[in-house]
Amino acid sequence: MPNVYQDAVVTKYNIFNSLFLSLPFHDIFRTGTLLPLLVQASEEGFEAGNSPQQIIESFFEEYTEHATEHERRDMLFNFIKFIERQVVLFDSVEDAGFDQTHDLNGPGSITQLLNRVDSDDLREKLLKKLDDFCVRIVLTAHPTQFYPGKVLGIITDLEEAIKDNDFVTVNNLLLQLGKTGFINKNKPTPFDEALTLGWFLENVFYEAIPAILKKLLRGLNIPIDQWEHTELFRLGFWPGGDRDGNPFVTSDVTLQVADRLRQILLKCYWRDIKYLKRRLTFDGVEDFIATAERKINNAIYYPDQEHYASSPELLHDLQQAREVLVKYHDSFFVDSLDDIILKIKLFGFFFASLDIRQVSPKHSLAWEEVLTKIEKQVPVFTYADYRDWDEKRKIDFLLSLQVELTEADFHDPITQDIYGSMLAIREIQRRNGEAGAHRYVISNCASALNVVEVLALMKNVWKTTDIGVDIVPLFETVDDLAGAADVMKQLFENKYYRAHLERRGNQQTIMVGFSDGTKDGGYLRANWSIFTAKEQLTRISREYDVKVTFFDGRGGPPGRGGGNNHAFYASLGKDIEDKEIQLTVQGQTISSNYGTVPTAMYNLERLFTAGLENHLFMSKNTKDQLSESDKALMEELANVAYEAYLGLKNHKTFVPYLEKITPLRFYGQTKIGSRPDKRGSGGGLKFEDLRAIPFVGSWAQMKQNVPGFYGFGSALETLKKNGKMDALKKLYKRSLFVRTLVENSMQSLMKAYYPATKYLKENPEFSTLWTMMFEEYERSINLMLEFSGEKELMNQNPVTKESIIVRERIVLPLMTIQQYALQKLQSSDLPAAEVDVYSKLVMRAMFGIINAARNSA
């Protein structure tokens, strides 16, 4: 729909963009007038092979001949501020035109799914699948977007005014935007992050999820009050629970966040019931509604007075009101009452399940403290001996232990928090119900012992074997993914662990993470490792009669596993369990894909139908399934890509390049997230300490996007030389999974812009590394186009392609300014005052560049 996109978005943006020039701010007219000239100078300069420094200095000489150095630098900062607000405006215009640029009832929608369910057999098959199917969106606090909450609010209001072509309101909001700061003065706390994401729960998901379910039930001709499976959609939440590398997340914070989630939800219920009270004014009904309003209000503000302690209590009163309404009042307004009842069944008193996450070595540290204490009490046992035992003996020993544990048994602050977090889960379950917190995720899980350490610790903290918590291993690195099936096999064969699973409904959730996998092994190897790991884990789980659910840490950009999630899930074959779809969403992916009710419904519907696709229409999709020869071809491709990526990652200048050339070192100063920007502490940068977000984000800032494509071109080139390109082309046409893999990587390539960093080709230290990246970039484009048979990147997704083109042009001058500042900072004799100025330019430019990438590319 490129023409529709031009009319609904680009043309409208250009019209509203002109309003900036009339705002009553100092120098804004001059800034807005000169900015297009800087865009032109950047385009022409990079095309001519000039460096960012040459472009900026030539621009100054031509347009600011008499300005002082101080005035010129102020102008650069003004450009940055202007462009930041242009990005906000473009976001709002794009959101306002969403229903015009996207077919809401087209491919992937519930409407189309129901049209395809055109027989009684398919209908029964669908209804049976829905009995235990679920889509779970897990909101994370990972900072991949720089908008503070107040700016998100302006975006929402702008969208509505733009839809109505209300120029007066748009002008006022742009005026507000001009006065609103884009930078947090203080680093947000985990609780602050929870509050920010709570806005999406309250204003988007609370309305979108029930609307989707009602749309489905209407299509199936099933009355809402007769629908029992209300776990079809679930929300998860990581802020306040994710303590992997974040010392600021404590058990107290976890409890505060759980309480706030409950309060937000109860206020939503209270507002709905208060509105309903104005309609249900009938004898025998109004007393129930009045009681519900009062007891919900007390639950929020006056818990010492009579209030609802759980959602079943509230549902009981509303169901009684419904019975009277149907029996004596001709079901007047029963639909409105059913809407509230449906929401309560969906969200309970918890709204979103709060996951606890901690990295595996910390649990080993906790056990070291416990076992050292036991050593002092049991003369025949020593911790030194324990360390020398094999894994099976350690597992059997830990599961057999029954020890009295208190907080005083732990001395390290992190191990104290592990103890506190396990107690916090139990307290949240008491307050909000078991669904409020029932999963403990183990990052960097590499062994069965890593899982048992958590289960055995929790057994002793809770003082019971009946633990209402799912232990979720997270396999991330290439090696961990390769060994995941063996780890789970060992656990499934353990009688104690198997008994725990039986108490949990014989279900096992397994998380696979893209971020560290991509950082560790490159784009293609990480994606294929996850695919093969899921197949192996599915096979092992079916062999042991365990219902496995996969939880994907898919992130935002392709370098973190993002891209087209709908196509990804629809492409999984019969050998990968599809009981549920669970994935993390974060940063700009939340605001772009789930920032409004229409966009949330659009994307949730497509995840939902993608999860049903293979089950319902497998016979029609058999040609898409990967054969053993296909898998062997993909394994060969992934291995060659892995070797190419290792050649880059292990290059002697790779880490120094990240540290000295990219904006990586500035991420910790942005104050956008509560988490430290690296895992380790102390001096020099180590690759293993790098967090995935600053790692991927730094490549995005440089417009090099290495994690999203590097190695793909080399792999295609090698297999082409080996005479396998024809086989690859046939595989591409036949397999949706392969097409999705390629098309998501194409997004990374489309957003790359190597002319901006071509000056590094002359850098004596980093010339070789830059050349390696650039050659792989060109190689990947040429061979992906040959592989796919396309003439240009992303021809299959014209709307996203158009969006990227416009967004990249908006931020081109930002990129020029940032690279200019980075180039200046490479000078060894720069005065301290100038170092400070150029560092601020780099950091300020980061905000707009990353915000403009909101379409997860």
Side-chain angles (χ1 to χ4, degrees), residues 352-580:
S353 297
L354 190 59
D355 288 347
I356 305 298
R357 185 172 78 129
Q358 182 56 277
V359 66
S360 60
K362 302 304 180 184
H363 306 120
S364 302
L365 180 62
W367 273 113
E368 180 179 349
E369 293 194 347
V370 173
L371 296 178
T372 302
K373 174 190 174 184
I374 292 176
E375 179 182 71
K376 296 174 183 177
Q377 299 170 347
V378 183
V380 296
F381 172 81
T382 68
Y383 179 70
D385 288 341
Y386 170 85
R387 284 188 301 182
D388 292 336
W389 293 351
D390 63 28
E391 185 180 22
K392 184 179 185 307
R393 188 177 178 187
K394 288 179 180 178
I395 287 173
D396 291 341
F397 177 72
L398 292 182
L399 291 175
S400 69
L401 277 179
Q402 292 188 29
V403 292
E404 287 290 330
L405 294 178
T406 67
E407 188 175 357
D409 294 321
F410 303 97
H411 305 290
D412 183 273
I414 292 177
T415 59
Q416 287 178 342
D417 178 67
I418 289 173
Y419 173 84
S421 68
M422 291 180 173
L423 289 179
I425 294 174
R426 189 167 62 180
E427 179 60 19
I428 293 169
Q429 291 188 357
R430 186 187 68 79
R431 298 179 189 178
N432 297 3
E434 185 176 302
H438 64 96
R439 305 202 302 190
Y440 195 111
V441 181
I442 307 167
S443 300
N444 296 123
C445 186
S447 68
L449 179 62
N450 290 157
V451 177
V452 167
E453 284 174 332
V454 173
L455 181 60
L457 198 60
M458 189 164 282
K459 176 192 76 169
N460 286 287
V461 171
W462 280 31
K463 297 179 175 59
T464 179
T465 58
D466 188 12
I467 300 164
V469 178
D470 301 313
I471 312 298
V472 182
L474 166 52
F475 301 106
E476 300 177 83
T477 67
V478 171
D479 289 342
D480 290 348
L481 287 163
D486 289 338
V487 169
M488 297 314 301
K489 183 176 189 292
Q490 191 176 349
L491 289 168
F492 293 158
E493 290 180 345
N494 182 282
K495 291 182 179 179
Y496 190 100
Y497 189 79
R498 192 57 192 263
H500 168 71
L501 283 186
E502 288 174 1
R503 288 190 293 270
R504 300 301 298 157
N506 205 33
Q507 299 186 41
Q508 174 69 60
T509 300
I510 300 174
M511 187 173 183
V512 289
F514 285 77
S515 302
D516 282 304
T518 304
K519 181 169 76 77
D520 178 49
Y523 174 79
L524 190 53
R525 178 71 270 175
N527 277 275
W528 184 242
S529 290
I530 287 169
F531 185 93
T532 55
K534 283 185 173 181
E535 283 198 332
Q536 293 165 4
L537 289 164
T538 298
R539 184 167 58 251
I540 288 293
S541 300
R542 289 173 179 172
E543 180 182 334
Y544 287 87
D545 196 27
V546 174
K547 300 174 184 176
V548 68
T549 296
F550 292 113
F551 175 21
D552 292 305
R554 290 191 61 81
R560 285 181 50 76
N564 189 336
N565 287 327
H566 319 136
F568 168 79
Y569 285 109
S571 71
L572 301 180
K574 61 182 175 55
D575 296 327
I576 293 178
E577 196 64 71
D578 60 355
K579 180 178 180 294
E580 296 186 15

Side-chain angles (χ1 to χ4, degrees), residues 1-16 90 93-94 97-98 100-102 798-807 809:
M1 297 183 178
N3 294 329
V4 174
Y5 188 87
Q6 283 287 330
D7 295 339
V9 178
V10 179
T11 300
K12 215 165 188 178
Y13 164 74
N14 289 330
I15 292 170
F16 284 114
F90 190 78
V93 173
E94 201 168 56
F98 189 85
Q100 298 175 61
T101 57
H102 294 76
V799 170
T800 301
K801 180 178 180 178
E802 287 290 313
S803 177
I804 290 173
I805 290 170
V806 177
R807 288 174 177 278
R809 193 165 193 270

